Amino acid sequence: MLEYGFYHLTRTALEPALGRLLERVLASGQRAVVVASSPERVEALNRALWTFGRDSFLPHGSRDDGFAEDQPVFLTDQADYPNGASVLVLVDGAEVEPPPQFTRCLYLFDGNDEPALAQARALWQRLRERGEPLTYWQQTERGWQKAMDTADPQ
């Protein structure tokens, strides 16, 4: 069953947070597809992920880079999943219905942007009504802290 993780950005910009989360995905032996809101945003993320951390290398690319099926992290603005990924990452308010091959969907949103916050809340509500397993992560000065898990007994 697909698990959704909502990542509420409050302390850093999207790019460094995305880079660190993608590092964890790759370290676990998985591949990811990142869906952004536009071709221009895909290109901006593509550039940013090459330089987000001085001590890291994050192999990634988009359709424009070629070899899409070989990319450990594939960046797109469409429902395009050529790399056999099991983790779907949605940024900039992008929403797609994940196909069955995905086991996790990470939804990153800017907590300082009211429309982004409202969109995340609406998506959370729709998914909760469908009975999807949801986890809410809040950014703290020490990293990500799980603040809610719909699978946890209350």
Side-chain angles (χ1 to χ4, degrees):
M1 176 177 260
L2 180 67
E3 295 178 32
Y4 287 86
F6 281 70
Y7 289 80
H8 188 164
L9 298 165
T10 56
R11 303 188 63 79
T12 65
L14 170 69
E15 292 81 354
L18 175 62
R20 294 292 176 214
L21 286 170
L22 290 171
E23 282 181 325
R24 294 174 81 175
V25 168
L26 294 179
S28 72
Q30 299 177 83
R31 290 173 165 238
V33 170
V34 178
V35 181
S37 57
S38 69
E40 296 79 19
R41 190 65 173 128
V42 167
E43 185 54 36
L45 288 173
N46 201 350
R47 285 190 310 272
L49 289 176
W50 286 121
T51 59
F52 84 92
R54 296 193 309 186
D55 61 340
S56 63
F57 171 71
L58 187 66
H60 67 279
S62 68
R63 192 70 63 198
D64 291 345
D65 297 318
F67 307 101
E69 60 281 347
D70 297 327
Q71 300 293 348
V73 174
F74 181 72
L75 307 169
T76 185
D77 65 324
Q78 302 172 20
D80 188 12
Y81 318 114
N83 68 341
S86 59
V87 177
L88 177 64
V89 182
L90 303 175
V91 299
D92 302 330
E95 289 187 37
V96 296
E97 190 62 38
Q101 79 248 27
F102 290 104
T103 58
R104 278 223 5 108
C105 179
L106 314 180
Y107 185 86
L108 282 68
F109 62 99
D110 184 348
N112 299 311
D113 178 337
E114 252 336 288
L117 197 52
Q119 185 176 4
R121 287 178 179 145
L123 179 59
W124 174 279
Q125 187 62 36
R126 284 195 313 272
L127 293 171
R128 188 174 187 152
E129 287 171 1
R130 285 185 1 198
E132 303 286 355
L134 306 171
T135 306
Y136 169 73
W137 297 87
Q138 194 165 30
Q139 201 175 34
T140 69
E141 58 189 46
R142 291 183 284 149
W144 293 105
Q145 179 179 3
K146 185 165 46 169
M148 185 182 298
D149 188 338
T150 62
D152 283 344
Q154 299 294 333

